Amino acid sequence: MASTTHEPTSFCEVRKEPLLVKPSEPISTSFCVMRKEPLLVKPSAPIPRHDIFLSTIDNYTALENFTHTLYVYRPIAVAPPNSNCPDPVSVLKQGLARTLVFYYPLAGKIMRYDPDRSLRITFNSDEEDIGVPFLEAAVLDCDLKSLNYMDGEITSVFKDFIFYNQPPINKDQEPYHPLRLQVTVFPCGGFIVGMSILHSIVDVFGAAQFFKALAEMAGGKVEPSVIPAWEREMLIVSIMPDEEKEMGNNNNNNNNSQPNNLPESQHLSSELINECVNISSDGIKRLKLELATEIGDDVTTFEALSSYIWRSRFKALEFNPDDKTVFVMMVGLRDRLDHPKLPKGYYGRDLVEGPLSKMVKLIKETKNICSQPEFIRRSLSSSERT
């Protein structure tokens, strides 16, 4: 079971249709986390030591932040007789060391370099600087059941299970580690793995692929079931002079779609908050059925929820009916590119953005447009230009 929180993030809670959206109950149990000194887990075998460059999408500055994920493991209900259960901290450290042989870029450090401010992973001559920061922690005064196994509103407590660097990383002045792990054990035998990984290096599929590999290697496998492939050069593009001119004209002609030209509302605030909500499966089914009947076509869960949240936000901010708003979604291109075709095991970012101006029909149309190879190529060119 995993609970995920991104930084920064905001969510508009909708209460008008309680069958669809129900606020989660916050975790109120108090506890104390005891932490040991962090250490650096190194690859268990020699790894390449050359500079590693990232793709055009990876270099998008808005993505240079950490995504934090909690993986919650309940204790074994009935342990086998005379069993000697292994220490999860030791098992995960050994598994991480073996996994880094395959995912060796995560053992380096990353930074933006002049003159183009592009991201680069480096391995300097200091052997002590190579590896992944790893923090062992323990909760002694409560068990996972008291925390409802982290199933609910965890905003107030999730930071206790994430390895935050102190002082904060200065990404503009010095290289930093793109991956950090914290393992927190409980008296009941359960534990939580907190993973912080740089969004520039992996998207959600890449992060899941890495953690699956970590679990497999910690479980004793010789190699991951999916061998990772870096190959970020496949998504690096160059801008031709005619494209540069065309992009400039398009930017001048499409100012109405830019965020700084969107309508203003007295209810807008610069303060970002975290809010967890439960969306019932029955509510989703009902919403999808109503929309499918209305438009005469099948509706996916993403399309239904996107249109629902978009409309609810419009109403909550009390915009005028004629105001134009923009909904931005990310479309994966893993299975949509033939030239180049991304290899199995690719764990980098593969998403492009598409602007929306209507509800479900336009979401469908835009998903189709964003899947076209020419749109993907031009989106990459636009990212490279900026």
Side-chain angles (χ1 to χ4, degrees):
M1 180 177 70
S3 302
T4 306
T5 304
H6 301 274
E7 61 172 14
T9 185
S10 63
F11 195 89
C12 180
E13 182 180 343
V14 183
R15 297 179 181 270
K16 295 202 174 178
E17 297 187 39
L19 290 179
L20 184 61
V21 177
K22 179 182 178 182
S24 299
E25 292 295 328
I27 293 175
S28 58
T29 303
S30 61
F31 56 90
C32 179
V33 180
M34 307 295 293
R35 297 176 177 84
K36 293 186 177 181
E37 287 295 320
L39 53 85
L40 211 59
V41 175
K42 301 179 179 300
S44 61
I47 60 173
R49 300 281 290 271
H50 56 82
D51 286 0
I52 302 174
F53 296 88
L54 281 76
S55 74
T56 295
I57 302 176
D58 299 333
N59 273 285
Y60 190 39
T61 55
L63 301 175
E64 194 181 357
N65 56 72
F66 281 89
T67 297
H68 309 294
T69 311
L70 301 182
Y71 297 87
V72 181
Y73 292 84
R74 302 189 181 202
I76 299 176
V78 180
N82 301 321
S83 64
N84 187 12
C85 295
D87 172 27
V89 176
S90 299
V91 170
L92 285 167
K93 279 195 292 189
Q94 296 173 12
L96 176 60
R98 297 171 59 222
T99 305
L100 290 176
V101 176
F102 296 90
Y103 286 85
Y104 69 89
L106 298 178
K109 282 191 167 184
I110 191 168
M111 183 179 171
R112 292 191 179 273
Y113 289 85
D114 294 329
D116 58 357
R117 304 297 297 159
S118 62
L119 288 169
R120 189 188 314 170
I121 297 175
T122 60
F123 300 87
N124 59 31
S125 57
D126 187 359
E127 182 68 29
E128 295 183 358
D129 217 21
I130 296 177
V132 170
F134 186 97
L135 183 62
E136 179 181 351
V139 173
L140 304 178
D141 51 356
C142 81
D143 55 24
L144 271 174
K145 184 178 180 180
S146 301
L147 301 179
N148 196 29
Y149 303 102
M150 303 299 285
D151 186 12
E153 166 59 79
I154 66 169
T155 303
S156 59
V157 300
F158 87 92
K159 286 186 178 181
D160 290 309
F161 306 106
I162 294 295
F163 181 11
Y164 277 91
N165 282 51
Q166 297 292 336
I169 296 170
N170 190 335
K171 296 187 288 188
D172 291 330
Q173 294 184 3
E174 60 184 20
Y176 60 96
H177 294 283
L179 172 65
R180 305 189 298 265
L181 288 178
Q182 175 177 324
V183 180
T184 306
V185 297
F186 289 77
C188 61
F191 61 95
I192 296 176
V193 181
M195 182 173 73
S196 302
I197 194 165
L198 189 66
H199 209 19
S200 299
I201 291 185
V202 299
D203 59 7
V204 63
F205 296 103
Q209 178 181 307
F210 166 76
F211 196 85
K212 179 183 178 182
L214 172 59
E216 290 174 339
M217 300 300 282
K221 283 197 172 184
V222 177
E223 63 180 28
S225 57
V226 177
I227 303 300
W230 184 259
E231 300 189 32
R232 306 299 170 95
E233 68 278 1
M234 300 181 71
L235 291 181
I236 295 178
V237 300
S238 299
I239 305 174
M240 303 302 291
D242 58 333
E243 286 185 335
E244 181 82 23
K245 181 177 179 180
E246 181 181 345
M247 287 178 188
N249 292 335
N250 287 339
N251 287 337
N252 292 333
N253 294 332
N254 292 325
N255 285 333
N256 289 335
S257 65
Q258 299 304 313
N260 59 355
N261 288 302
L262 294 179
E264 296 183 357
S265 170
Q266 61 178 341
H267 303 292
L268 280 173
S269 172
S270 59
E271 181 182 358
L272 298 177
I273 64 171
N274 288 295
E275 185 69 40
C276 292
V277 296
N278 288 324
I279 303 176
S280 68
S281 58
D282 289 340
I284 293 176
K285 290 178 181 178
R286 188 192 70 222
L287 181 63
K288 289 170 65 175
L289 180 60
E290 291 176 356
L291 289 170
T293 303
E294 182 179 342
I295 69 174
D297 195 2
D298 291 336
V299 176
T300 67
T301 299
F302 170 78
E303 292 163 353
L305 291 180
S306 297
S307 61
Y308 181 90
I309 294 172
W310 189 6
R311 183 193 63 183
S312 299
R313 179 171 172 79
F314 191 94
K315 289 182 177 180
L317 295 178
E318 296 183 356
F319 289 138
N320 293 322
D322 296 331
D323 284 339
K324 290 184 178 180
T325 61
V326 175
F327 186 99
V328 179
M329 71 176 180
M330 309 299 285
V331 178
L333 51 87
R334 270 177 169 78
D335 299 323
R336 294 177 170 88
L337 276 181
D338 291 325
H339 303 288
K341 186 175 182 61
L342 297 180
K344 182 181 180 181
Y346 183 86
Y347 59 102
R349 297 194 54 83
D350 70 334
L351 302 172
V352 294
E353 298 183 9
L356 308 175
S357 60
K358 293 182 180 178
M359 293 290 182
V360 175
K361 287 185 178 180
L362 280 185
I363 291 177
K364 282 183 171 292
E365 293 170 3
T366 304
K367 284 170 62 179
N368 181 59
I369 293 172
C370 292
S371 302
Q372 301 303 315
E374 180 62 19
F375 179 90
I376 293 171
R377 189 183 67 81
R378 290 184 176 273
S379 295
L380 291 174
S381 296
S382 177
S383 298
E384 185 71 19
R385 180 176 179 270
T386 56

